[in-house]
Amino acid sequence: MKRKRPQHAPTAWQTSAQWRMIGSAAIREWNAKRFNLPKCNAARKSDREPCRHIAMENGKCFIHGGRTPRGEEWHRTQWPDGKSPDAEKKLRKKLAERERAARKRSTRLAAMSPEERDQHDAWHAARTPGSAAARQRKRDERKQAAEIRAMLERPQPAPSAETAELAKQIAALRAELEARRVDPQKPTGAFA
Ligand SMILES: [Zn+2]
């Protein structure tokens, strides 16, 4: 049985020579510039050569991470826009992708040796997700703590003979003061 073609009203492109000219000009313009646009430098799976698709904003093409969100959204799942006509299909695809990724991850974790697992956990512990501001704040705190530690660990200069003599005198006076507190009538050298 021959499938029936859906019948659409003729588009502007089919009925108007002017629209066709506008379309051709746009395609010519795109073809002229597309070869000079920056290319994706990810390695192709098939032969490990550079991918050469047109790069997106972050230097990778739409397949190799060009669509990965940036900033605060980079580690969150991007859900489809509910208003889009195929939102349900997109959502189902997203959920299936997440499930597949989770399965792949658990397989990988199960195959790890204890040392590899420790290394993996350490890597993830050092890269806690969060907003850019929160991560910067934590970096600053770590830096300050390291500076304070370094300052405390720096060797203190040895006290000079003069300082040692003063410290001895202060200790003697303190002892005398303490003795006076116990017995106010007791005659003393320094306070006589
Ligand atoms: Zn690519």
Side-chain angles (χ1 to χ4, degrees):
M1 198 181 100
K2 204 175 172 193
R3 194 175 286 171
K4 219 176 174 185
R5 266 212 175 143
Q7 296 292 308
H8 294 296
T11 63
W13 310 101
Q14 290 165 321
T15 54
S16 154
Q18 196 198 349
W19 274 98
R20 271 198 296 279
M21 264 167 64
I22 292 169
S24 305
I27 290 168
R28 263 200 308 280
E29 197 190 324
W30 169 246
N31 279 335
K33 75 172 179 188
R34 61 190 273 231
F35 297 102
N36 298 321
L37 291 174
K39 299 287 170 356
C40 170
N41 57 5
R44 287 193 297 233
K45 265 191 186 174
S46 54
D47 54 8
R48 311 314 294 168
E49 289 294 309
C51 151
R52 313 304 295 159
H53 264 129
I54 289 163
M56 296 177 75
E57 225 180 296
N58 65 0
K60 299 279 186 261
C61 73
F62 71 108
I63 292 170
H64 285 124
R67 292 191 293 188
T68 301
R70 311 179 66 174
E72 309 237 332
E73 294 299 310
W74 73 266
H75 59 285
R76 294 196 192 127
T77 303
Q78 301 297 300
W79 300 112
D81 180 4
K83 279 175 257 164
S84 120
D86 50 357
E88 203 189 317
K89 190 179 153 197
K90 284 181 182 166
L91 180 64
R92 253 200 291 264
K93 192 179 162 207
K94 260 286 143 95
L95 290 171
E97 265 172 20
R98 261 166 72 111
E99 225 171 90
R100 196 166 59 230
R103 264 203 310 275
K104 197 174 163 187
R105 186 170 169 271
S106 56
T107 312
R108 204 178 133 223
L109 290 183
M112 278 181 186
S113 69
E115 297 86 60
E116 281 170 340
R117 184 59 201 262
D118 287 347
Q119 220 176 1
H120 172 91
D121 289 346
W123 193 96
H124 282 276
R127 288 162 182 83
T128 324
S131 73
R135 279 181 279 137
Q136 185 58 49
R137 201 168 52 239
K138 275 190 189 165
R139 264 198 294 279
D140 291 345
E141 278 170 13
R142 279 199 299 274
K143 199 178 158 201
Q144 273 174 15
E147 277 168 7
I148 289 169
R149 259 200 313 279
M151 209 169 75
L152 292 176
E153 279 168 9
R154 213 170 293 147
Q156 298 293 320
S160 67
E162 206 177 323
T163 323
E165 186 53 43
L166 270 174
K168 216 191 272 174
Q169 281 177 19
I170 290 167
L173 286 171
R174 276 226 178 96
E176 216 167 277
L177 199 63
E178 202 53 43
R180 273 199 172 201
R181 239 183 238 139
V182 177
D183 180 7
Q185 299 306 312
K186 193 184 171 193
T188 61
F191 295 100

